[in-house]
Amino acid sequence: MRHDQFIGQVQARARLPDRAHAERACRATLETLGERVPEGLADNLAAQLPHEIGENLRRTEVYGGMGSGTGFDRHEFIRRVADRAGVKEPQAAYLVRVVMEVAGEATTGRVLDKVGESLPPDIRPLVLSGSHGSIE
């Protein structure tokens, strides 16, 4: 999937007013995910995404250190996305679901399943549920 297609899918599915909002949603979601999952896994996912989008995962890596994989819960995950995207928390939760759904379609193999497996049970459904239906 190309960058323009990825952003267009996020914009359409999330019903965002323009591409800038879609770009911000992708950046906010993937930077936060990059902080939460192990560094190597963030790299694996980034490698399968369009370069400009994958760089959002790499932006939070700590080279030569302990790596990412910072422990925080679902509420903090959503709060960070909301702050970065400039939206309220309920919308941020939905944006995460949309961005990750599109990311799942852009990747092959089990990389998104591995991302989900690396997350605690309270965050996992947010990342793997897709944009439709309930996640509770």
Side-chain angles (χ1 to χ4, degrees):
M1 185 179 291
R2 292 186 353 255
H3 176 264
D4 289 342
Q5 184 181 9
F6 193 104
I7 297 301
Q9 287 293 319
V10 170
Q11 180 184 353
R13 292 180 199 189
R15 296 180 187 91
L16 296 171
D18 54 42
R19 295 179 66 77
H21 282 86
E23 290 270 5
R24 197 170 348 182
C26 291
R27 186 189 76 249
T29 297
L30 295 173
E31 283 181 359
T32 304
L33 184 66
E35 290 172 340
R36 187 62 183 89
V37 299
E39 208 169 272
L41 192 52
D43 263 345
N44 290 343
L45 177 58
Q48 289 195 28
L49 296 174
H51 177 76
E52 302 91 337
I53 294 169
E55 286 304 304
N56 293 309
L57 282 158
R58 293 184 173 117
R59 188 169 289 135
T60 55
E61 290 181 352
V62 183
Y63 292 105
M66 297 299 291
S68 49
T70 305
F72 51 84
D73 65 7
R74 178 177 170 161
H75 175 73
E76 179 64 13
F77 190 99
I78 293 170
R79 188 197 64 73
R80 289 180 187 204
V81 173
D83 287 350
R84 286 179 168 137
V87 299
K88 295 185 186 228
E89 290 182 9
Q91 184 180 11
Y94 184 66
L95 291 175
V96 170
R97 294 173 65 185
V98 170
V99 170
M100 295 311 300
E101 179 179 70
V102 176
E105 294 169 8
T107 59
T108 59
R110 294 197 49 222
V111 69
L112 203 57
D113 290 337
K114 290 177 183 176
V115 167
E117 291 166 6
S118 77
L119 295 168
D122 67 327
I123 298 176
R124 192 173 303 136
L126 184 66
V127 171
L128 298 178
S129 67
S131 64
H132 299 289
S134 174
I135 61 171
E136 297 306 322

